[in-house]
Structures are given as C-alpha cells and as structure tokens.
Short mmCIF file of all heavy atoms in Angstrom, two decimals:
data_model
loop_
_atom_site.label_atom_id
_atom_site.label_comp_id
_atom_site.label_asym_id
_atom_site.label_seq_id
_atom_site.Cartn_x
_atom_site.Cartn_y
_atom_site.Cartn_z
N GLN A 1 0.81 -1.21 0.00
CA GLN A 1 0.00 0.00 0.00
C GLN A 1 0.85 1.27 0.00
O GLN A 1 0.50 2.25 -0.67
CB GLN A 1 -0.94 -0.01 1.21
CG GLN A 1 -1.99 -1.11 1.16
CD GLN A 1 -2.92 -1.09 2.35
OE1 GLN A 1 -2.80 -0.25 3.24
NE2 GLN A 1 -3.86 -2.02 2.39
N LEU A 2 1.95 1.27 0.74
CA LEU A 2 2.78 2.47 0.77
C LEU A 2 3.39 2.73 -0.60
O LEU A 2 3.44 3.88 -1.05
CB LEU A 2 3.86 2.35 1.84
CG LEU A 2 4.82 3.54 1.93
CD1 LEU A 2 4.07 4.84 2.22
CD2 LEU A 2 5.90 3.29 2.99
N LEU A 3 3.84 1.70 -1.28
CA LEU A 3 4.41 1.88 -2.62
C LEU A 3 3.36 2.45 -3.57
O LEU A 3 3.65 3.36 -4.36
CB LEU A 3 4.95 0.55 -3.15
CG LEU A 3 5.59 0.60 -4.54
CD1 LEU A 3 6.78 1.56 -4.55
CD2 LEU A 3 6.02 -0.80 -4.97
N ALA A 4 2.14 1.93 -3.49
CA ALA A 4 1.07 2.44 -4.35
C ALA A 4 0.79 3.91 -4.05
O ALA A 4 0.59 4.73 -4.96
CB ALA A 4 -0.19 1.60 -4.16
N ALA A 5 0.77 4.26 -2.76
CA ALA A 5 0.49 5.65 -2.38
C ALA A 5 1.62 6.58 -2.83
O ALA A 5 1.36 7.69 -3.31
CB ALA A 5 0.30 5.74 -0.87
N ILE A 6 2.86 6.13 -2.68
CA ILE A 6 3.99 6.97 -3.06
C ILE A 6 4.02 7.19 -4.57
O ILE A 6 4.22 8.32 -5.05
CB ILE A 6 5.30 6.34 -2.56
CG1 ILE A 6 5.47 6.64 -1.05
CG2 ILE A 6 6.51 6.83 -3.34
CD1 ILE A 6 6.70 6.04 -0.43
N THR A 7 3.82 6.14 -5.34
CA THR A 7 3.87 6.30 -6.79
C THR A 7 2.69 7.12 -7.31
O THR A 7 2.79 7.72 -8.38
CB THR A 7 3.91 4.94 -7.49
OG1 THR A 7 2.80 4.13 -7.04
CG2 THR A 7 5.21 4.20 -7.18
N ALA A 8 1.60 7.15 -6.56
CA ALA A 8 0.43 7.93 -6.99
C ALA A 8 0.47 9.37 -6.50
O ALA A 8 -0.32 10.20 -6.97
CB ALA A 8 -0.85 7.26 -6.49
N ALA A 9 1.36 9.69 -5.57
CA ALA A 9 1.40 11.03 -4.99
C ALA A 9 1.77 12.06 -6.05
O ALA A 9 2.44 11.77 -7.04
CB ALA A 9 2.39 11.08 -3.83
N GLU A 10 1.34 13.31 -5.81
CA GLU A 10 1.47 14.33 -6.86
C GLU A 10 2.87 14.88 -7.00
O GLU A 10 3.25 15.39 -8.05
CB GLU A 10 0.48 15.46 -6.60
CG GLU A 10 0.70 16.19 -5.28
CD GLU A 10 -0.34 17.27 -5.03
OE1 GLU A 10 -1.37 17.28 -5.75
OE2 GLU A 10 -0.12 18.10 -4.14
N ASP A 11 3.69 14.83 -5.93
CA ASP A 11 5.05 15.36 -6.04
C ASP A 11 5.93 14.71 -4.98
O ASP A 11 5.46 13.97 -4.11
CB ASP A 11 5.07 16.89 -5.92
CG ASP A 11 4.45 17.39 -4.62
OD1 ASP A 11 4.61 16.74 -3.57
OD2 ASP A 11 3.78 18.45 -4.66
N ASP A 12 7.22 15.03 -5.06
CA ASP A 12 8.19 14.40 -4.16
C ASP A 12 7.99 14.82 -2.71
O ASP A 12 8.27 14.05 -1.79
CB ASP A 12 9.61 14.72 -4.61
CG ASP A 12 10.00 13.97 -5.88
OD1 ASP A 12 9.16 13.24 -6.41
OD2 ASP A 12 11.16 14.12 -6.32
N ASP A 13 7.53 16.03 -2.47
CA ASP A 13 7.28 16.46 -1.09
C ASP A 13 6.19 15.60 -0.47
O ASP A 13 6.30 15.17 0.70
CB ASP A 13 6.86 17.94 -1.05
CG ASP A 13 8.02 18.88 -1.33
OD1 ASP A 13 9.18 18.42 -1.22
OD2 ASP A 13 7.77 20.05 -1.66
N ALA A 14 5.14 15.32 -1.23
CA ALA A 14 4.06 14.47 -0.71
C ALA A 14 4.57 13.05 -0.48
O ALA A 14 4.21 12.40 0.50
CB ALA A 14 2.88 14.46 -1.69
N ARG A 15 5.42 12.58 -1.39
CA ARG A 15 5.97 11.23 -1.22
C ARG A 15 6.85 11.16 0.03
O ARG A 15 6.79 10.20 0.79
CB ARG A 15 6.78 10.85 -2.46
CG ARG A 15 5.96 10.73 -3.73
CD ARG A 15 6.81 10.28 -4.91
NE ARG A 15 6.01 10.23 -6.12
CZ ARG A 15 5.96 11.19 -7.03
NH1 ARG A 15 6.71 12.28 -6.89
NH2 ARG A 15 5.19 11.08 -8.09
N SER A 16 7.66 12.17 0.23
CA SER A 16 8.54 12.18 1.41
C SER A 16 7.73 12.21 2.69
O SER A 16 8.07 11.53 3.67
CB SER A 16 9.47 13.40 1.34
OG SER A 16 10.26 13.36 0.17
N ALA A 17 6.65 12.97 2.71
CA ALA A 17 5.80 13.03 3.90
C ALA A 17 5.15 11.68 4.17
O ALA A 17 5.06 11.24 5.33
CB ALA A 17 4.73 14.11 3.72
N LEU A 18 4.70 10.99 3.13
CA LEU A 18 4.12 9.65 3.30
C LEU A 18 5.14 8.69 3.91
O LEU A 18 4.82 7.92 4.82
CB LEU A 18 3.63 9.13 1.95
CG LEU A 18 2.35 9.71 1.38
CD1 LEU A 18 2.17 9.28 -0.07
CD2 LEU A 18 1.14 9.28 2.21
N LEU A 19 6.35 8.74 3.41
CA LEU A 19 7.39 7.83 3.91
C LEU A 19 7.74 8.16 5.36
O LEU A 19 7.88 7.25 6.20
CB LEU A 19 8.62 7.93 3.02
CG LEU A 19 9.77 6.97 3.36
CD1 LEU A 19 9.34 5.52 3.18
CD2 LEU A 19 11.00 7.27 2.50
N ASP A 20 7.89 9.43 5.68
CA ASP A 20 8.21 9.83 7.05
C ASP A 20 7.11 9.39 8.03
O ASP A 20 7.40 8.89 9.12
CB ASP A 20 8.40 11.34 7.14
CG ASP A 20 9.68 11.80 6.47
OD1 ASP A 20 10.52 10.95 6.13
OD2 ASP A 20 9.83 13.03 6.27
N ASP A 21 5.86 9.60 7.64
CA ASP A 21 4.75 9.20 8.51
C ASP A 21 4.76 7.69 8.73
O ASP A 21 4.51 7.22 9.85
CB ASP A 21 3.42 9.63 7.88
CG ASP A 21 3.21 11.13 7.92
OD1 ASP A 21 3.96 11.82 8.65
OD2 ASP A 21 2.32 11.63 7.20
N TYR A 22 5.02 6.95 7.67
CA TYR A 22 5.06 5.49 7.79
C TYR A 22 6.16 5.05 8.75
O TYR A 22 5.95 4.19 9.61
CB TYR A 22 5.30 4.88 6.41
CG TYR A 22 5.27 3.37 6.38
CD1 TYR A 22 4.07 2.69 6.24
CD2 TYR A 22 6.44 2.64 6.48
CE1 TYR A 22 4.04 1.30 6.20
CE2 TYR A 22 6.43 1.25 6.44
CZ TYR A 22 5.22 0.58 6.30
OH TYR A 22 5.20 -0.79 6.26
N ALA A 23 7.34 5.65 8.63
CA ALA A 23 8.45 5.29 9.51
C ALA A 23 8.14 5.60 10.96
O ALA A 23 8.43 4.81 11.87
CB ALA A 23 9.73 6.01 9.06
N GLU A 24 7.55 6.75 11.22
CA GLU A 24 7.19 7.13 12.59
C GLU A 24 6.19 6.14 13.18
O GLU A 24 6.32 5.71 14.33
CB GLU A 24 6.62 8.54 12.62
CG GLU A 24 7.65 9.63 12.37
CD GLU A 24 7.02 11.01 12.37
OE1 GLU A 24 5.78 11.10 12.51
OE2 GLU A 24 7.76 12.00 12.22
N ARG A 25 5.16 5.78 12.40
CA ARG A 25 4.16 4.83 12.90
C ARG A 25 4.76 3.45 13.11
O ARG A 25 4.41 2.76 14.07
CB ARG A 25 2.98 4.74 11.92
CG ARG A 25 2.09 5.96 11.91
CD ARG A 25 0.73 5.63 11.26
NE ARG A 25 0.89 4.95 9.98
CZ ARG A 25 1.06 5.59 8.83
NH1 ARG A 25 1.12 6.91 8.80
NH2 ARG A 25 1.18 4.90 7.70
N ALA A 26 5.64 3.03 12.22
CA ALA A 26 6.26 1.71 12.36
C ALA A 26 7.03 1.59 13.66
O ALA A 26 7.08 0.51 14.27
CB ALA A 26 7.18 1.43 11.18
N ASP A 27 7.62 2.69 14.11
CA ASP A 27 8.35 2.67 15.37
C ASP A 27 7.42 2.78 16.56
O ASP A 27 7.55 2.05 17.54
CB ASP A 27 9.36 3.83 15.40
CG ASP A 27 10.10 3.92 16.72
OD1 ASP A 27 10.85 2.97 17.04
OD2 ASP A 27 9.92 4.92 17.44
N ALA A 28 6.44 3.68 16.49
CA ALA A 28 5.54 3.92 17.62
C ALA A 28 4.46 2.86 17.76
O ALA A 28 4.05 2.52 18.87
CB ALA A 28 4.90 5.30 17.49
N GLU A 29 4.00 2.33 16.62
CA GLU A 29 2.94 1.32 16.61
C GLU A 29 3.40 0.15 15.72
O GLU A 29 3.08 0.10 14.53
CB GLU A 29 1.64 1.92 16.06
CG GLU A 29 1.18 3.17 16.79
CD GLU A 29 0.05 3.87 16.05
OE1 GLU A 29 -0.83 3.16 15.50
OE2 GLU A 29 0.06 5.10 15.99
N PRO A 30 4.16 -0.77 16.26
CA PRO A 30 4.79 -1.81 15.43
C PRO A 30 3.82 -2.63 14.60
O PRO A 30 4.21 -3.15 13.54
CB PRO A 30 5.50 -2.69 16.47
CG PRO A 30 5.76 -1.78 17.63
CD PRO A 30 4.60 -0.86 17.68
N ASP A 31 2.56 -2.74 15.03
CA ASP A 31 1.63 -3.56 14.25
C ASP A 31 1.17 -2.87 12.96
O ASP A 31 0.43 -3.45 12.17
CB ASP A 31 0.41 -3.95 15.09
CG ASP A 31 -0.36 -2.75 15.63
OD1 ASP A 31 0.12 -1.61 15.47
OD2 ASP A 31 -1.44 -2.96 16.22
N THR A 32 1.64 -1.64 12.69
CA THR A 32 1.30 -0.97 11.44
C THR A 32 2.27 -1.33 10.32
O THR A 32 2.05 -0.94 9.16
CB THR A 32 1.30 0.56 11.62
OG1 THR A 32 2.63 1.00 11.97
CG2 THR A 32 0.32 0.97 12.70
N ALA A 33 3.34 -2.03 10.63
CA ALA A 33 4.32 -2.44 9.62
C ALA A 33 4.81 -3.83 9.96
O ALA A 33 4.90 -4.21 11.13
CB ALA A 33 5.49 -1.46 9.55
N ARG A 34 5.12 -4.59 8.95
CA ARG A 34 5.74 -5.90 9.18
C ARG A 34 6.99 -5.99 8.32
O ARG A 34 6.93 -5.91 7.10
CB ARG A 34 4.80 -7.05 8.85
CG ARG A 34 5.49 -8.42 8.88
CD ARG A 34 4.53 -9.59 9.01
NE ARG A 34 3.95 -9.63 10.34
CZ ARG A 34 2.64 -9.64 10.59
NH1 ARG A 34 1.78 -9.61 9.58
NH2 ARG A 34 2.19 -9.67 11.82
N TRP A 35 8.13 -6.17 8.97
CA TRP A 35 9.40 -6.32 8.26
C TRP A 35 9.75 -7.79 8.03
O TRP A 35 10.64 -8.10 7.24
CB TRP A 35 10.52 -5.63 9.02
CG TRP A 35 10.23 -4.20 9.38
CD1 TRP A 35 10.07 -3.70 10.64
CD2 TRP A 35 10.07 -3.07 8.50
NE1 TRP A 35 9.82 -2.34 10.61
CE2 TRP A 35 9.82 -1.93 9.30
CE3 TRP A 35 10.11 -2.92 7.11
CZ2 TRP A 35 9.62 -0.67 8.76
CZ3 TRP A 35 9.91 -1.65 6.57
CH2 TRP A 35 9.67 -0.55 7.39
N SER A 36 9.10 -8.70 8.74
CA SER A 36 9.32 -10.14 8.53
C SER A 36 8.72 -10.55 7.19
O SER A 36 7.79 -9.91 6.69
CB SER A 36 8.68 -10.95 9.66
OG SER A 36 9.18 -10.58 10.92
N TYR A 37 9.21 -11.65 6.64
CA TYR A 37 8.70 -12.12 5.35
C TYR A 37 9.03 -13.60 5.17
O TYR A 37 9.79 -14.19 5.95
CB TYR A 37 9.29 -11.31 4.19
CG TYR A 37 10.81 -11.29 4.16
CD1 TYR A 37 11.53 -12.21 3.41
CD2 TYR A 37 11.53 -10.34 4.89
CE1 TYR A 37 12.92 -12.20 3.39
CE2 TYR A 37 12.90 -10.32 4.88
CZ TYR A 37 13.60 -11.25 4.13
OH TYR A 37 14.97 -11.24 4.12
N VAL A 38 8.45 -14.19 4.14
CA VAL A 38 8.62 -15.61 3.82
C VAL A 38 9.12 -15.75 2.39
O VAL A 38 8.68 -15.02 1.50
CB VAL A 38 7.30 -16.38 3.99
CG1 VAL A 38 7.41 -17.80 3.43
CG2 VAL A 38 6.91 -16.45 5.46
N ARG A 39 10.04 -16.67 2.18
CA ARG A 39 10.44 -17.04 0.83
C ARG A 39 10.37 -18.56 0.71
O ARG A 39 10.85 -19.28 1.60
CB ARG A 39 11.90 -16.62 0.54
CG ARG A 39 12.11 -15.13 0.41
CD ARG A 39 11.58 -14.58 -0.90
NE ARG A 39 12.09 -15.31 -2.06
CZ ARG A 39 13.26 -15.06 -2.65
NH1 ARG A 39 14.04 -14.09 -2.18
NH2 ARG A 39 13.63 -15.75 -3.70
N ASP A 40 9.75 -19.05 -0.35
CA ASP A 40 9.67 -20.49 -0.61
C ASP A 40 10.52 -20.82 -1.83
O ASP A 40 10.48 -20.12 -2.85
CB ASP A 40 8.22 -20.91 -0.87
CG ASP A 40 7.39 -20.92 0.40
OD1 ASP A 40 7.87 -21.48 1.40
OD2 ASP A 40 6.28 -20.36 0.41
N PHE A 41 11.30 -21.88 -1.70
CA PHE A 41 12.17 -22.35 -2.78
C PHE A 41 11.81 -23.80 -3.09
O PHE A 41 11.59 -24.60 -2.17
CB PHE A 41 13.64 -22.28 -2.38
CG PHE A 41 14.07 -20.92 -1.90
CD1 PHE A 41 14.03 -20.59 -0.54
CD2 PHE A 41 14.52 -19.96 -2.79
CE1 PHE A 41 14.43 -19.35 -0.09
CE2 PHE A 41 14.92 -18.71 -2.35
CZ PHE A 41 14.87 -18.40 -1.00
N GLY A 42 11.78 -24.16 -4.36
CA GLY A 42 11.40 -25.52 -4.72
C GLY A 42 9.90 -25.62 -4.87
O GLY A 42 9.15 -24.64 -4.73
N ARG A 43 9.42 -26.84 -5.15
CA ARG A 43 7.99 -27.03 -5.44
C ARG A 43 7.42 -28.14 -4.59
O ARG A 43 8.09 -29.12 -4.27
CB ARG A 43 7.79 -27.38 -6.91
CG ARG A 43 8.25 -26.28 -7.86
CD ARG A 43 7.90 -26.62 -9.29
NE ARG A 43 8.52 -27.87 -9.71
CZ ARG A 43 8.35 -28.37 -10.92
NH1 ARG A 43 7.56 -27.78 -11.79
NH2 ARG A 43 8.95 -29.50 -11.26
N THR A 44 6.17 -27.99 -4.22
CA THR A 44 5.44 -29.06 -3.55
C THR A 44 4.10 -29.24 -4.24
O THR A 44 3.56 -28.32 -4.84
CB THR A 44 5.19 -28.72 -2.06
OG1 THR A 44 4.49 -27.49 -1.99
CG2 THR A 44 6.48 -28.62 -1.29
N ALA A 45 3.57 -30.46 -4.16
CA ALA A 45 2.24 -30.71 -4.70
C ALA A 45 1.18 -30.18 -3.76
O ALA A 45 1.44 -29.87 -2.60
CB ALA A 45 2.05 -32.21 -4.93
N THR A 46 -0.04 -30.07 -4.25
CA THR A 46 -1.11 -29.50 -3.43
C THR A 46 -1.43 -30.37 -2.22
O THR A 46 -1.95 -29.87 -1.23
CB THR A 46 -2.38 -29.33 -4.27
OG1 THR A 46 -2.72 -30.59 -4.86
CG2 THR A 46 -2.14 -28.33 -5.39
#
C-alpha cells in the first residue's frame, strides 16, 4: 500500500511526507508495519 500511495502522490514532497509518517508509525505502533517475510524455494504438490 505504501508503494502504491507513493507512486500515486502528486510530487516528491508528498511522497517524502508519506514515507516519514510510515516510519514514525512503524516505530511507535509496530503492528502498522511488518518487516518479517517468507520465501519459498522448490515445489510441492497441493
């Protein structure tokens, strides 16, 4: 969602503000961002 919002923003100032707000919330309210992720390698049947 943040990438979509940044690419749709009207100018770089708006994009910078979106990013700054996201970073502040990620620190103050950790459940607003997730830095963990999953990668799967290889194949399995259903």
Side-chain angles (χ1 to χ4, degrees):
Q1 294 181 0
L2 178 58
L3 181 60
I6 281 178
T7 54
E10 61 182 14
D11 57 37
D12 288 1
D13 287 342
R15 295 183 182 98
S16 301
L18 285 169
L19 184 63
D20 289 348
D21 289 346
Y22 184 86
E24 289 178 357
R25 288 198 311 274
D27 177 65
E29 305 169 39
D31 59 353
T32 63
R34 171 161 289 125
W35 308 114
S36 302
Y37 56 93
V38 170
R39 290 286 307 275
D40 286 313
F41 306 93
R43 298 186 300 179
T44 57
T46 55

